[in-house]
Amino acid sequence: MTKNRNLFIIIMIVTLVLLFEGIAYYILFIVEHDRTGISVIVYEDDKNWADLKEGAELAARNEENVDINFIVMPEATTAKEQKKIILDEINSGAKYVVTTAVDSYELSELLNGVYESKIEFVMNGTDDKNYKVISPDNYKMGYELGRLIVEEEGSDINVGIISIDDKKKSLNIRAQGIRVALGEANVHYEIWNNSIIGDDIYQFVKNKINNNEVDAIIVLNESVLDAVTAVVSDNSIYDNYLPVYAMVHSEKSVYYLDSKQLKYLVYPDEFGAGYAAVTELLHPAKIRLKDDTIAYSIVKRADMYSGQYEKVLFPFVK
């Protein structure tokens, strides 16, 4: 009798352990199932997405059960490959995808409005109005920069606008704003793209300087900052200070402003864009998407360490 009772007790203990394990796994499954996954997908050729990532993660930390999965696409990712990455994330369980387009126009055709309630673009969107885009007012940024150059340098000048990626709609709109502002003041300008510059941007800009064909340069791509600032510095022996203006968000651009190699920096608020993108997906009523939803700053060297600009350029410095 005692032997049977001991066996019964052992069976009951094992049964209870299995029951409790089953309940625990079920609760864990429910908790995990209730979590909201947001995949943030960016392209590598910018290499400066830290602020956007921090903004998105801060918005997620202010919520319950929200996870951010940050993905950097390999360099030279095509629009077709980006579409696959986006859809793979959704099919793998991501409730939402926040992304920035490697090619605004081809990706627009490839997605064709699919998952419009789940996909949101940040900084650079597509040519498809079905998708929301969280971005500063690109045209206004460009226009204000163009007006600033006229105020600072006068109208009797030649301006070189470096824009080497016509696949990104945001850059094209920024360049359009600059062109309109310069055109209103009858300023002569040239658009320097890949087909005009060729393979050696350093030599191209050097020739423009040596031939007195340019009085100011506007840079719209972070990837060419090194070459442009280098050639301007190397040609300083001509005693002609050539002002360089940049519309770029990166640590490198802040460094060049600080070292006086940029005269002005137009700095979009990627931290705010990341924060607003996640918040808008989770609470659409909290974010009223307008052209001025995401801020930007136009900063000169003398002002970069003043209160309002320092917080923008160095958001994580205590």
Side-chain angles (χ1 to χ4, degrees):
M1 179 71 70
T2 302
K3 184 178 180 181
N4 290 339
R5 185 167 60 183
N6 290 341
L7 180 61
F8 175 75
I9 292 172
I10 291 172
I11 293 173
M12 287 298 296
I13 292 173
V14 172
T15 302
L16 288 172
V17 169
L18 293 175
L19 178 63
F20 285 130
E21 283 186 353
I23 293 172
Y25 280 120
Y26 177 77
I27 293 173
L28 181 62
F29 172 80
I30 294 296
V31 169
E32 290 298 321
H33 185 71
D34 285 345
R35 297 191 72 83
T36 299
I38 301 177
S39 294
V40 179
I41 306 171
V42 296
Y43 45 77
E44 188 180 31
D45 59 351
D46 182 275
K47 298 184 178 66
N48 292 286
W49 297 107
D51 287 355
L52 187 143
K53 180 175 183 286
E54 289 287 345
E57 291 179 340
L58 177 60
R61 287 197 297 271
N62 291 337
E63 305 291 334
E64 292 185 2
N65 302 325
V66 176
D67 295 322
I68 298 293
N69 181 30
F70 193 74
I71 300 168
V72 180
M73 292 178 287
E75 195 166 353
T77 296
T78 65
K80 185 177 293 186
E81 291 167 339
Q82 182 176 10
K83 176 189 175 183
K84 182 178 185 305
I85 294 170
I86 292 171
L87 297 187
D88 283 350
E89 287 300 305
I90 293 174
N91 293 332
S92 297
K95 185 169 184 179
Y96 302 110
V97 168
V98 175
T99 190
T100 187
V102 297
D103 185 327
S104 300
Y105 309 101
E106 184 178 356
L107 188 60
S108 175
E109 295 179 358
L110 290 172
L111 287 175
N112 194 31
V114 67
Y115 288 127
E116 61 182 86
S117 64
K118 289 180 172 287
I119 300 173
E120 183 177 73
F121 287 88
V122 63
M123 301 310 295
N124 182 55
T126 67
D127 209 27
D128 187 337
K129 297 188 183 302
N130 286 308
Y131 299 104
K132 295 174 183 175
V133 182
I134 308 295
S135 170
D137 187 329
N138 290 297
Y139 180 86
K140 184 179 178 182
M141 274 199 301
Y143 185 85
E144 288 191 7
L145 178 56
R147 294 293 302 170
L148 175 65
I149 289 173
V150 174
E151 293 172 7
E152 292 283 324
E153 315 300 337
S155 58
D156 188 20
I157 57 171
N158 297 315
V159 179
I161 305 171
I162 302 179
S163 183
I164 60 171
D165 190 351
D166 60 2
K167 294 180 179 180
K168 294 185 172 62
K169 185 176 180 179
S170 59
L171 298 186
N172 293 338
I173 295 175
R174 293 174 188 182
Q176 180 187 6
I178 294 169
R179 294 198 309 269
V180 170
L182 296 181
E184 289 175 352
N186 294 317
V187 173
H188 179 268
Y189 64 85
E190 299 176 358
I191 302 292
W192 299 342
N193 53 32
N194 278 321
S195 61
I196 294 175
I197 293 172
D199 297 328
D200 191 344
I201 187 171
Y202 182 97
Q203 190 59 48
F204 176 87
V205 176
K206 181 179 178 180
N207 291 340
K208 288 289 184 179
I209 295 173
N210 291 347
N211 295 330
N212 295 317
E213 296 179 29
V214 62
D215 301 300
I217 295 175
I218 302 173
V219 178
L220 298 182
N221 307 91
E222 193 267 346
S223 60
V224 302
L225 272 177
D226 287 340
V228 173
T229 54
V231 68
V232 171
S233 297
D234 293 346
N235 285 268
S236 61
I237 58 174
Y238 294 100
D239 294 327
N240 290 322
Y241 170 70
L242 186 72
V244 179
Y245 297 72
M247 186 179 292
V248 175
H249 180 111
S250 71
E251 292 181 2
K252 185 178 294 183
S253 66
V254 175
Y255 163 76
Y256 284 130
L257 181 66
D258 193 28
S259 58
K260 301 180 181 179
Q261 296 179 77
L262 296 179
K263 186 170 183 178
Y264 276 88
L265 174 63
V266 183
Y267 202 73
D269 180 13
E270 286 189 5
F271 177 89
Y275 187 92
V278 170
T279 302
E280 199 282 332
L281 284 172
L282 299 173
H283 307 286
K286 283 188 178 181
I287 302 291
R288 296 181 61 191
L289 292 179
K290 300 181 295 183
D291 288 341
D292 59 352
T293 297
I294 306 304
Y296 59 90
S297 299
I298 302 178
V299 191
K300 62 181 178 180
R301 170 63 180 80
D303 295 335
M304 66 182 295
Y305 290 104
S306 64
Q308 66 178 104
Y309 296 123
E310 188 172 29
K311 291 178 181 178
V312 173
L313 299 177
F314 311 101
F316 309 115
V317 176
K318 301 296 184 183

